[in-house]
Amino acid sequence: MFECHRAVRRIRCGMNDWRPRVAVIGTGGIAHVHARLIRELGGELVAVCGRTAAAASAFGHAPPYDEPSRMLRETAPDIVHVCSPHYLHAQHSILALQAGAHVVCEKPMATEIDDALCMIEAAERAGRVGAICYTYRGYPLIEVLRARIAAGAFGTLRRASGVYLSQDVFAADKYVWMFSPGTTGRSYVLLDLGIHWLNLIEYVSGQRIVEICAQFSTHQPERVWHGLPEEGREPPGVREATGEVRVRHGLEEQADMLIRLSDGAAGCVTISGVSPGHPNTIVLSLDGSEAGADWNQQDPNVWVERRPSGNTIHQRSPEDLAPALAWMSRLPAGHAEGYVDAFRNVVHQAWSAMRGKDIIYPTFTDGLCGLRLVEAAVRSAASGSVVAIRE
Amino acid sequence: MFECHRAVRRIRCGMNDWRPRVAVIGTGGIAHVHARLIRELGGELVAVCGRTAAAASAFGHAPPYDEPSRMLRETAPDIVHVCSPHYLHAQHSILALQAGAHVVCEKPMATEIDDALCMIEAAERAGRVGAICYTYRGYPLIEVLRARIAAGAFGTLRRASGVYLSQDVFAADKYVWMFSPGTTGRSYVLLDLGIHWLNLIEYVSGQRIVEICAQFSTHQPERVWHGLPEEGREPPGVREATGEVRVRHGLEEQADMLIRLSDGAAGCVTISGVSPGHPNTIVLSLDGSEAGADWNQQDPNVWVERRPSGNTIHQRSPEDLAPALAWMSRLPAGHAEGYVDAFRNVVHQAWSAMRGKDIIYPTFTDGLCGLRLVEAAVRSAASGSVVAIRE
Amino acid sequence: MFECHRAVRRIRCGMNDWRPRVAVIGTGGIAHVHARLIRELGGELVAVCGRTAAAASAFGHAPPYDEPSRMLRETAPDIVHVCSPHYLHAQHSILALQAGAHVVCEKPMATEIDDALCMIEAAERAGRVGAICYTYRGYPLIEVLRARIAAGAFGTLRRASGVYLSQDVFAADKYVWMFSPGTTGRSYVLLDLGIHWLNLIEYVSGQRIVEICAQFSTHQPERVWHGLPEEGREPPGVREATGEVRVRHGLEEQADMLIRLSDGAAGCVTISGVSPGHPNTIVLSLDGSEAGADWNQQDPNVWVERRPSGNTIHQRSPEDLAPALAWMSRLPAGHAEGYVDAFRNVVHQAWSAMRGKDIIYPTFTDGLCGLRLVEAAVRSAASGSVVAIRE
Amino acid sequence: MFECHRAVRRIRCGMNDWRPRVAVIGTGGIAHVHARLIRELGGELVAVCGRTAAAASAFGHAPPYDEPSRMLRETAPDIVHVCSPHYLHAQHSILALQAGAHVVCEKPMATEIDDALCMIEAAERAGRVGAICYTYRGYPLIEVLRARIAAGAFGTLRRASGVYLSQDVFAADKYVWMFSPGTTGRSYVLLDLGIHWLNLIEYVSGQRIVEICAQFSTHQPERVWHGLPEEGREPPGVREATGEVRVRHGLEEQADMLIRLSDGAAGCVTISGVSPGHPNTIVLSLDGSEAGADWNQQDPNVWVERRPSGNTIHQRSPEDLAPALAWMSRLPAGHAEGYVDAFRNVVHQAWSAMRGKDIIYPTFTDGLCGLRLVEAAVRSAASGSVVAIRE
């Protein structure tokens, strides 16, 4: 073990001197991860706002609120982390920005492009930072791959493929609030899952997706709302004697897409919420004119370099990161870093930007780009033909 | 080891009593595998026909010919294995059928649909069997998956995806005869590689592909012919002082496709001949409403059953085959069977059909279906929209 | 992603109300991880003590000291984390206990059994908790396996094997302070690496190792000290003109061992510090009369259940932990937890014991047991015969 | 696919001109594989000798006999393949050699060293070849590893470990004839399984095992004979009213061993017949001073080269074999070769030696070496201490 003899990089977050006052809007599962990260990064959690005061109280960690405006007024946070349902992201983010706070907003940025544009305008007007939780970008190996691609280590990119396979809604009796009309936007699986992959491939490749051709599948168009916490408010639908509600949502759970990147690479990707045995498989698979690469979020500490002479499994190691990114990975190879470590890196990037650091982080603009890709996919699936992405 | 105590199924080919007289047309690498299988299955190799008498003589194993008609006339084989270049499959198969021989033809059946139709007509007129070497269908686990799907073990199929990734022409200076104009048909990568996958997914699923949307990529539109054996005759192009010829072939080496099966399952697949680190990766990945399954030709003795409770790696085992298919797999689990074993199974199926057995084998009709799928993909790639497959 | 609809267990450390004052002795790589965990668990880092004041200052995070006694006197910490070189663990732990602090001590507990006995006595006399950083015990899947074994899910244990393969000192020019005489104890590879595995197998199986037969190998008996930070003070040896010192250490880097557990299971294990391509591979492989299991620290979020019907890969999931252990794993399946999460769990266990909680944690007695196993292995390797472990 | 453009090596067995007359003694599962290989290699199967005439008739393929001497007298085969129970190998081999035939004998060569010595003497006296079916040596990658080790590609060997894990007798009600007294020799698991691994590691490393320290475990000392074909003749034991016989065999099903090779490499290995989920896992794991290597018989077409810079998965490819060994592997990378291909290679080696070729094959001397290693292990397990191997 690396007790004293393996090089362990220092924790140079450079933020030991900043203790921002942070509020969280939303009390679901992800809000708990935010609360933990806020604390670990040295922030002070000054308020939590839930749909109800009871939910906010049960959340713990900080004074509870059930009304964002009042929370903002009374606690005046430096930063607001927006973890509310998707369709409320825009409203809550804009309120926070107008109150002078920076915003870290969960993905998708919004359910409509117009809302996203309003958020960008609000951030600009307020002179505040708006960041989107493209969490998976925070894995150190994403930066390693990105740097190698940029340096031409794989040659010219030719293929950019992958999957985001999840079993989130595989169970036939599973209901999530996103199946309720008006909460989701125009696509369930792309806004909830696919938008991560789309941003990831653009980020890693350093290119834009310029064409999309999509095929949507709805395997279970009707679901039953049981009133469980994660199912959200009672949706419109056929109410059973039991109090359960049958909802004919019509949302796709699977999207297959062809994509073309700006420099000519092509590929395909499947996004699914009903793929059994895949808790959260996010794969990037790249071919270049010199070599290929594969990475899987479920096994995030390795990547595979493919060459005709053999395929090499590389373990994540701090030495593989450029000095400016060394803070993203602190453990020697063989000592797994995980999802929370990646998430912390992304929040750290956003907070650093709020301090004025010149640092790459997932911006509101990145959020908007994701929505445009989803919108293109929706149109393509409807028309059965390729859609070019307009900038 | 299974010396005397593990159950090893008998070799019940049932053909010990048949010693057909077999001829081979073509002298390339695959023709050698055919020659080996003909011998192992108890056939008598009575003639080999090459492009030149020298090639046929160098091939060995049997009397050499350089003219199919003369070979057929002089040796009157019971069966002809057609291993010539793709664009000659039709001509050679029809000659053989007209001479009263059964035909085992390499894939793709032909380069044009009309040729395939003529082959089917010739076989019907002659009352002879025509089989296509969809070799990968011969793996026992393909039958295991097919039977389980048919029995509903995975529920309703929802996703049918995969890849056929190869590095056949990854090297920038690689030339194969298929880059020469007039030899290839309308697609390089689909006719040489993809047609295997397309037949495989239809065979395993028991469904037809009813829609295709394709995206083609040509990463290296110009290649240089050096005059090596596997490069075929000198192609038209720009002749260098060295005798090498620069050919602007324009053929795609990568095809990304969205597919829809007849019962609603959807998926995507990439076929590539330029994917580094992939000697011959053929993956089937299926999701059903109950469970999922994955299989990879490079590791053909295992398949993975995916369920939310965990993903189980199953080793090929003779016990998993129905009695009627027991002859396809004779070794206990843990003792790898390989490509030649699969190939032998397919040839055995075809030969059994020639003896009048009621057995499933890859027919000329299967060959035609493959060509129709490729033709649909070519049209889709040109138009940028979904193409429905006409029967 | 699990934004609001996947069940995420709350962080119920129950220690939000405790903010212990903690000191760290030692400034190497692992000390930084301790500092991070102390902060994350809500402790206040009140002092750091290094070999030199400069080292302690460079460490940062807390007031620096170069003399443990003075540090203890001036800061009176509630807890001391001992991260000094192995041969100083006893001295530093005893000083801390005598000063009334609880102790979290890095492994190995000491380099001599007598020292360990003194530490236990000191803890008992002071009425304080002494814990050992058997870090890998903190992985949730270790608890899952332990519970399943205890419940008989695998039947009677028959085989208990594994490896701890590392490349810590594979490079021929690598020197670590443990090669310096007087710092290491009687075995390099067992005290630095193997002691983790030995404790892990006893903990998981719920049994004791009752017999050991060991074979030691010294592949590179001479190494060169270059004066780098992780190489420690200048060792005795042949001093070159360059200032480098050639040390003939004679320590083994590889130990192969046969073991027998108290209930009859048997197995073998290799511990190596010179195994290329293994950053930190720690494998447990178990056979029972009903099923088998495998786990690897480098891929800590999965384990494999082996049965004749197939081998199932299980993803770590909070649902698989008993309610009392739910706090150990907070992320849904598919979201990797890592080394620091495991480490935090172990420190949390120790701190909880300090608060009087009835909780299992790696105790000084566990530390002593490890030393006894190592001592038995050393005697076995010298004699070439099996050694029984005396309690 | 490699239709005409991938290099496929010719089948240059060089034995097309030899059609030896071959007899098989034994009618169990492995005898069927021998019969198949005899045919594929161009031999004529002239006789099969079973325990009973009925068994030999049921075997098919060749005229049946129930008495080896008569069979040898009447058919005068060029070669005899001995597939009878272990304890009869010596008797049957010596009869065959005395009748002037070459012998291919299944492993283990014999159950007693003295018998093996008699076999060697008989072969020398007769001037005939005696070969042992160390089948796994026939995998091409074994030759690739052997050549690389000999060339120093991994540096000095330091660790030579592995496993042979099987579930042959995992089922509690499983009986095999080897559990019957007098049939087995002094060890069940080493003579049936372990002897393969022991020969393999010596062959691959080019070194001898000079020390063994073994630990035996008997997990199920009593088994019940049911009278099934693979259970052999009725053994002595407690006869139940049902006709079943309870046998207290006392044979170990698991052996853990420490080994030392002649040039200093050390390692450990477990051989087990009761390891669930392992149909036939045979692993070689090697560390050298420059790099390491792993190979697994269940996945025989790949090997892993381990280096600190990453672990590379190499696919078997004909190009990796020296020209003199090119005949051992004929398919391009990505097209799996299997167990029968390896087996055929070994029989081909033996037959070539019979034709006077200067070729390496597993000899009777190799068989004897294996027995000596097993005998050393048996003595070590009894004494609890290291045993040196005498040449």
Side-chain angles (χ1 to χ4, degrees), chain D residues 99-157:
Chain D
H102 299 286
V103 166
V104 173
C105 180
E106 266 300 331
K107 46 47 58 180
M109 184 180 186
T111 51
E112 298 296 335
I113 287 177
D114 284 350
D115 289 350
L117 290 169
C118 292
M119 291 167 74
I120 290 174
E121 192 192 346
E124 281 173 359
R125 196 166 293 178
R128 289 292 180 271
V129 163
I132 301 297
C133 288
Y134 287 144
T135 314
Y136 304 108
R137 269 171 57 166
Y139 282 110
L141 286 184
I142 292 297
E143 294 294 344
V144 168
L145 287 176
R146 186 169 182 262
R148 290 179 72 92
I149 289 169
F154 305 114
T156 306
L157 279 196

Coordinates of all heavy atoms in Angstrom, one line a residue, chain D residues 99-157:
Chain D
A99 N 4.0 -55.3 -29.5 CA 3.5 -55.7 -30.8 C 4.0 -54.9 -31.9 O 3.6 -55.0 -33.1 CB 1.9 -55.7 -30.7
G100 N 4.9 -54.0 -31.6 CA 5.6 -53.2 -32.6 C 4.9 -51.9 -33.0 O 5.2 -51.2 -34.0
A101 N 3.9 -51.5 -32.2 CA 3.2 -50.3 -32.5 C 3.8 -49.1 -31.8 O 4.4 -49.3 -30.7 CB 1.7 -50.4 -32.1
H102 N 3.7 -47.9 -32.3 CA 3.9 -46.7 -31.6 C 2.7 -46.5 -30.7 O 1.6 -47.0 -30.9 CB 4.0 -45.5 -32.5 CG 5.2 -45.6 -33.5 ND1 6.5 -45.5 -33.2 CD2 5.2 -45.9 -34.9 CE1 7.3 -45.6 -34.2 NE2 6.5 -45.8 -35.3
V103 N 2.9 -45.7 -29.6 CA 1.9 -45.5 -28.6 C 1.6 -44.0 -28.4 O 2.6 -43.2 -28.2 CB 2.2 -46.2 -27.3 CG1 1.3 -45.7 -26.2 CG2 2.1 -47.7 -27.4
V104 N 0.3 -43.6 -28.4 CA -0.1 -42.3 -27.9 C -1.0 -42.6 -26.7 O -2.0 -43.2 -26.9 CB -0.9 -41.6 -29.0 CG1 -1.5 -40.3 -28.4 CG2 -0.1 -41.2 -30.2
C105 N -0.5 -42.3 -25.5 CA -1.1 -42.7 -24.3 C -1.7 -41.5 -23.6 O -1.1 -40.4 -23.5 CB -0.1 -43.3 -23.4 SG -0.8 -43.9 -21.8
E106 N -3.0 -41.6 -23.1 CA -3.6 -40.5 -22.4 C -2.8 -40.3 -21.1 O -2.1 -41.2 -20.6 CB -5.1 -40.9 -22.1 CG -6.0 -40.3 -23.1 CD -6.0 -38.8 -23.2 OE1 -5.7 -38.2 -22.2 OE2 -6.2 -38.3 -24.3
K107 N -3.1 -39.1 -20.5 CA -2.4 -38.8 -19.2 C -3.4 -39.3 -18.1 O -4.5 -39.5 -18.4 CB -2.2 -37.4 -19.0 CG -3.2 -36.3 -19.4 CD -4.6 -36.5 -19.0 CE -4.9 -36.5 -17.5 NZ -6.3 -36.6 -17.2
P108 N -2.9 -39.6 -16.9 CA -1.5 -39.7 -16.6 C -0.9 -40.9 -17.2 O -1.6 -41.9 -17.4 CB -1.5 -39.8 -15.0 CG -2.8 -40.5 -14.7 CD -3.8 -40.0 -15.8
M109 N 0.4 -40.9 -17.5 CA 1.1 -42.0 -18.1 C 0.8 -43.3 -17.4 O 0.5 -44.3 -18.1 CB 2.6 -41.7 -18.1 CG 3.4 -42.7 -18.8 SD 5.1 -42.2 -18.6 CE 6.0 -43.4 -19.6
A110 N 0.8 -43.3 -16.1 CA 0.5 -44.5 -15.3 C 0.2 -44.0 -13.9 O 0.1 -42.8 -13.6 CB 1.8 -45.4 -15.3
T111 N -0.2 -45.0 -13.1 CA -0.5 -44.6 -11.7 C 0.7 -44.8 -10.7 O 0.6 -44.3 -9.6 CB -1.7 -45.4 -11.2 OG1 -1.5 -46.8 -11.4 CG2 -3.0 -44.9 -11.9
E112 N 1.7 -45.5 -11.2 CA 2.9 -45.7 -10.4 C 4.1 -45.4 -11.2 O 4.2 -45.7 -12.4 CB 3.0 -47.1 -9.9 CG 1.8 -47.6 -9.0 CD 1.7 -46.8 -7.7 OE1 2.8 -46.3 -7.2 OE2 0.6 -46.7 -7.1
I113 N 5.1 -44.9 -10.5 CA 6.4 -44.5 -11.2 C 7.0 -45.8 -11.8 O 7.6 -45.7 -13.0 CB 7.3 -43.8 -10.2 CG1 6.8 -42.4 -10.0 CG2 8.8 -43.8 -10.8 CD1 7.6 -41.6 -9.0
D114 N 7.0 -46.9 -11.1 CA 7.6 -48.1 -11.6 C 7.0 -48.5 -13.0 O 7.7 -49.0 -13.9 CB 7.5 -49.2 -10.6 CG 8.5 -49.1 -9.5 OD1 9.4 -48.2 -9.6 OD2 8.4 -49.8 -8.5
D115 N 5.7 -48.4 -13.0 CA 5.0 -48.7 -14.3 C 5.5 -47.8 -15.4 O 5.7 -48.3 -16.6 CB 3.5 -48.5 -14.2 CG 2.9 -49.6 -13.3 OD1 3.6 -50.6 -12.9 OD2 1.7 -49.4 -12.9
A116 N 5.7 -46.5 -15.1 CA 6.2 -45.6 -16.1 C 7.6 -46.0 -16.6 O 7.9 -45.9 -17.8 CB 6.1 -44.2 -15.6
L117 N 8.4 -46.4 -15.7 CA 9.7 -46.8 -16.0 C 9.7 -48.0 -17.0 O 10.5 -48.1 -17.9 CB 10.6 -47.1 -14.8 CG 10.9 -45.9 -13.9 CD1 11.5 -46.3 -12.6 CD2 11.9 -45.0 -14.7
C118 N 8.8 -49.0 -16.7 CA 8.6 -50.1 -17.5 C 8.2 -49.7 -18.9 O 8.6 -50.3 -20.0 CB 7.6 -51.1 -17.0 SG 8.2 -51.9 -15.4
M119 N 7.3 -48.7 -19.0 CA 6.8 -48.3 -20.3 C 8.0 -47.7 -21.1 O 8.1 -47.9 -22.3 CB 5.7 -47.2 -20.1 CG 4.4 -47.8 -19.6 SD 3.3 -46.5 -19.0 CE 2.7 -45.8 -20.6
I120 N 8.8 -46.9 -20.4 CA 9.9 -46.3 -21.1 C 10.9 -47.4 -21.7 O 11.4 -47.3 -22.8 CB 10.7 -45.3 -20.2 CG1 9.8 -44.1 -19.9 CG2 12.0 -44.9 -20.7 CD1 10.3 -43.1 -18.9
E121 N 11.1 -48.4 -20.8 CA 12.0 -49.4 -21.2 C 11.4 -50.2 -22.4 O 12.1 -50.5 -23.4 CB 12.2 -50.4 -20.0 CG 13.3 -51.4 -20.3 CD 13.3 -52.5 -19.2 OE1 12.6 -52.4 -18.2 OE2 14.0 -53.5 -19.4
A122 N 10.1 -50.4 -22.4 CA 9.5 -51.2 -23.5 C 9.6 -50.4 -24.8 O 9.8 -51.0 -25.9 CB 8.0 -51.4 -23.1
A123 N 9.4 -49.1 -24.7 CA 9.5 -48.2 -25.9 C 10.9 -48.3 -26.5 O 11.1 -48.4 -27.7 CB 9.1 -46.8 -25.6
E124 N 11.9 -48.2 -25.6 CA 13.3 -48.2 -26.0 C 13.6 -49.5 -26.7 O 14.2 -49.6 -27.7 CB 14.2 -47.9 -24.9 CG 14.3 -46.4 -24.5 CD 15.1 -46.2 -23.2 OE1 15.6 -47.1 -22.6 OE2 15.2 -45.0 -22.9
R125 N 13.2 -50.6 -26.0 CA 13.5 -51.9 -26.5 C 12.8 -52.1 -27.9 O 13.5 -52.7 -28.8 CB 12.9 -53.0 -25.5 CG 13.5 -54.4 -25.8 CD 13.2 -55.3 -24.6 NE 13.9 -54.9 -23.4 CZ 13.8 -55.5 -22.2 NH1 13.0 -56.5 -22.1 NH2 14.5 -55.1 -21.2
A126 N 11.6 -51.6 -28.0 CA 10.9 -51.8 -29.3 C 11.3 -50.8 -30.4 O 11.0 -50.9 -31.5 CB 9.4 -51.7 -29.1
G127 N 12.0 -49.8 -29.9 CA 12.4 -48.7 -30.9 C 11.2 -48.0 -31.4 O 11.1 -47.6 -32.6
R128 N 10.3 -47.8 -30.5 CA 9.0 -47.1 -31.0 C 8.8 -45.8 -30.2 O 9.4 -45.6 -29.1 CB 7.8 -48.0 -30.7 CG 7.8 -49.2 -31.7 CD 7.5 -48.8 -33.1 NE 7.4 -49.9 -34.1 CZ 8.5 -50.4 -34.7 NH1 9.7 -49.9 -34.5 NH2 8.3 -51.3 -35.6
V129 N 8.0 -45.0 -30.7 CA 7.7 -43.7 -30.0 C 6.6 -43.9 -29.0 O 5.6 -44.6 -29.3 CB 7.2 -42.6 -31.1 CG1 6.6 -41.4 -30.4 CG2 8.4 -42.1 -31.9
G130 N 6.8 -43.3 -27.8 CA 5.7 -43.2 -26.8 C 5.4 -41.8 -26.5 O 6.3 -41.0 -26.1
A131 N 4.2 -41.4 -26.7 CA 3.8 -40.0 -26.5 C 2.7 -39.9 -25.4 O 1.9 -40.9 -25.3 CB 3.3 -39.4 -27.8
I132 N 2.6 -38.8 -24.7 CA 1.6 -38.6 -23.7 C 0.7 -37.5 -24.1 O 1.2 -36.4 -24.5 CB 2.3 -38.3 -22.3 CG1 3.2 -39.4 -21.9 CG2 1.2 -38.0 -21.2 CD1 2.5 -40.8 -21.7
C133 N -0.6 -37.6 -23.9 CA -1.5 -36.5 -24.3 C -1.6 -35.4 -23.3 O -2.6 -35.2 -22.6 CB -2.9 -37.1 -24.5 SG -3.0 -38.1 -26.0
Y134 N -0.5 -34.6 -23.3 CA -0.6 -33.3 -22.6 C -1.2 -32.4 -23.5 O -0.5 -31.5 -24.1 CB 0.8 -32.9 -22.1 CG 1.4 -33.7 -21.0 CD1 2.7 -34.0 -20.9 CD2 0.6 -34.1 -19.9 CE1 3.3 -34.7 -19.8 CE2 1.1 -34.8 -18.8 CZ 2.4 -35.1 -18.8 OH 2.9 -35.8 -17.7
T135 N -2.5 -32.5 -23.7 CA -3.2 -31.9 -24.8 C -3.1 -30.4 -24.8 O -3.0 -29.8 -25.9 CB -4.7 -32.1 -24.5 OG1 -4.9 -33.5 -24.2 CG2 -5.5 -31.8 -25.7
Y136 N -3.1 -29.7 -23.6 CA -3.1 -28.3 -23.6 C -1.8 -27.6 -24.2 O -1.8 -26.5 -24.4 CB -3.4 -27.8 -22.2 CG -4.7 -28.4 -21.7 CD1 -4.8 -29.4 -20.7 CD2 -5.9 -28.0 -22.3 CE1 -6.0 -29.9 -20.3 CE2 -7.1 -28.6 -21.9 CZ -7.1 -29.5 -20.9 OH -8.3 -30.1 -20.5
R137 N -0.7 -28.5 -24.3 CA 0.5 -28.0 -24.9 C 0.3 -27.7 -26.3 O 1.1 -27.0 -26.9 CB 1.6 -29.0 -24.7 CG 2.4 -28.8 -23.5 CD 3.4 -30.0 -23.2 NE 4.3 -30.2 -24.3 CZ 5.4 -31.0 -24.1 NH1 5.6 -31.5 -23.0 NH2 6.2 -31.2 -25.1
G138 N -0.8 -28.2 -26.9 CA -1.0 -28.0 -28.3 C -1.6 -26.6 -28.7 O -1.7 -26.3 -29.9
Y139 N -1.9 -25.8 -27.8 CA -2.4 -24.5 -28.1 C -1.3 -23.6 -28.7 O -0.2 -23.5 -28.1 CB -3.1 -23.8 -26.9 CG -4.4 -24.3 -26.5 CD1 -4.7 -25.0 -25.4 CD2 -5.5 -24.0 -27.4 CE1 -5.9 -25.5 -25.1 CE2 -6.8 -24.4 -27.0 CZ -7.0 -25.2 -25.9 OH -8.3 -25.6 -25.6
P140 N -1.6 -22.9 -29.8 CA -0.5 -22.1 -30.4 C 0.1 -21.1 -29.4 O 1.3 -20.8 -29.4 CB -1.2 -21.4 -31.5 CG -2.4 -22.2 -31.8 CD -2.8 -22.9 -30.6
L141 N -0.8 -20.5 -28.5 CA -0.3 -19.4 -27.6 C 0.7 -20.0 -26.6 O 1.5 -19.3 -26.1 CB -1.4 -18.7 -27.0 CG -2.2 -17.7 -27.9 CD1 -3.2 -16.9 -27.2 CD2 -1.2 -16.8 -28.6
I142 N 0.6 -21.3 -26.3 CA 1.6 -21.9 -25.5 C 3.0 -21.8 -26.1 O 4.0 -21.5 -25.5 CB 1.2 -23.4 -25.1 CG1 -0.1 -23.4 -24.3 CG2 2.4 -24.1 -24.5 CD1 0.1 -22.7 -22.9
E143 N 3.0 -22.1 -27.4 CA 4.3 -21.9 -28.1 C 4.7 -20.5 -28.2 O 5.9 -20.2 -28.1 CB 4.2 -22.5 -29.5 CG 3.9 -24.0 -29.6 CD 5.1 -24.8 -29.0 OE1 6.2 -24.3 -28.9 OE2 4.9 -26.0 -28.7
V144 N 3.8 -19.6 -28.4 CA 4.2 -18.2 -28.4 C 4.8 -17.7 -27.1 O 5.8 -17.1 -27.1 CB 2.9 -17.3 -28.8 CG1 3.2 -15.8 -28.5 CG2 2.5 -17.5 -30.2
L145 N 4.2 -18.1 -26.0 CA 4.7 -17.8 -24.7 C 6.0 -18.4 -24.5 O 7.0 -17.8 -24.0 CB 3.7 -18.2 -23.6 CG 2.5 -17.3 -23.5 CD1 1.5 -17.9 -22.4 CD2 2.8 -15.9 -23.1
R146 N 6.1 -19.7 -24.8 CA 7.4 -20.4 -24.6 C 8.5 -19.7 -25.4 O 9.6 -19.6 -24.8 CB 7.2 -21.9 -25.1 CG 8.4 -22.8 -24.9 CD 8.0 -24.2 -25.2 NE 9.0 -25.1 -24.9 CZ 9.9 -25.6 -25.8 NH1 9.7 -25.3 -27.0 NH2 10.9 -26.4 -25.4
A147 N 8.3 -19.3 -26.6 CA 9.3 -18.7 -27.4 C 9.7 -17.4 -26.8 O 10.9 -17.0 -26.8 CB 8.8 -18.5 -28.9
R148 N 8.7 -16.6 -26.3 CA 9.0 -15.3 -25.8 C 9.8 -15.4 -24.5 O 10.7 -14.6 -24.2 CB 7.7 -14.5 -25.5 CG 7.1 -14.1 -26.9 CD 5.8 -13.4 -26.6 NE 6.0 -12.0 -26.1 CZ 6.1 -10.9 -26.8 NH1 6.0 -11.0 -28.1 NH2 6.4 -9.8 -26.2
I149 N 9.4 -16.4 -23.7 CA 10.2 -16.6 -22.4 C 11.6 -17.0 -22.8 O 12.6 -16.4 -22.2 CB 9.5 -17.7 -21.6 CG1 8.2 -17.2 -21.0 CG2 10.4 -18.2 -20.5 CD1 7.3 -18.2 -20.4
A150 N 11.8 -17.9 -23.7 CA 13.1 -18.4 -24.1 C 14.0 -17.2 -24.6 O 15.2 -17.1 -24.4 CB 13.0 -19.5 -25.1
A151 N 13.3 -16.3 -25.3 CA 14.0 -15.1 -25.9 C 14.2 -14.0 -24.9 O 14.8 -13.0 -25.2 CB 13.2 -14.6 -27.1
G152 N 13.8 -14.2 -23.7 CA 14.0 -13.2 -22.6 C 13.0 -12.0 -22.7 O 13.3 -11.0 -22.1
A153 N 11.9 -12.2 -23.4 CA 11.0 -11.0 -23.6 C 10.4 -10.5 -22.3 O 10.0 -9.4 -22.1 CB 9.9 -11.4 -24.6
F154 N 10.4 -11.4 -21.3 CA 9.8 -11.0 -20.0 C 10.9 -10.8 -19.0 O 10.7 -10.5 -17.8 CB 8.8 -12.1 -19.5 CG 7.7 -12.4 -20.4 CD1 7.6 -13.6 -21.0 CD2 6.8 -11.4 -20.8 CE1 6.6 -13.9 -21.9 CE2 5.8 -11.7 -21.7 CZ 5.7 -12.9 -22.2
G155 N 12.2 -10.9 -19.4 CA 13.3 -10.8 -18.4 C 13.5 -12.2 -17.7 O 13.0 -13.2 -18.2
T156 N 14.1 -12.1 -16.5 CA 14.2 -13.3 -15.7 C 12.9 -13.6 -15.1 O 12.2 -12.8 -14.5 CB 15.2 -13.0 -14.6 OG1 16.4 -12.5 -15.1 CG2 15.5 -14.3 -13.7
L157 N 12.5 -14.9 -15.2 CA 11.2 -15.3 -14.5 C 11.3 -15.2 -13.0 O 12.3 -15.7 -12.4 CB 10.8 -16.7 -14.9 CG 10.2 -17.0 -16.3 CD1 9.5 -18.3 -16.3 CD2 9.1 -15.9 -16.5

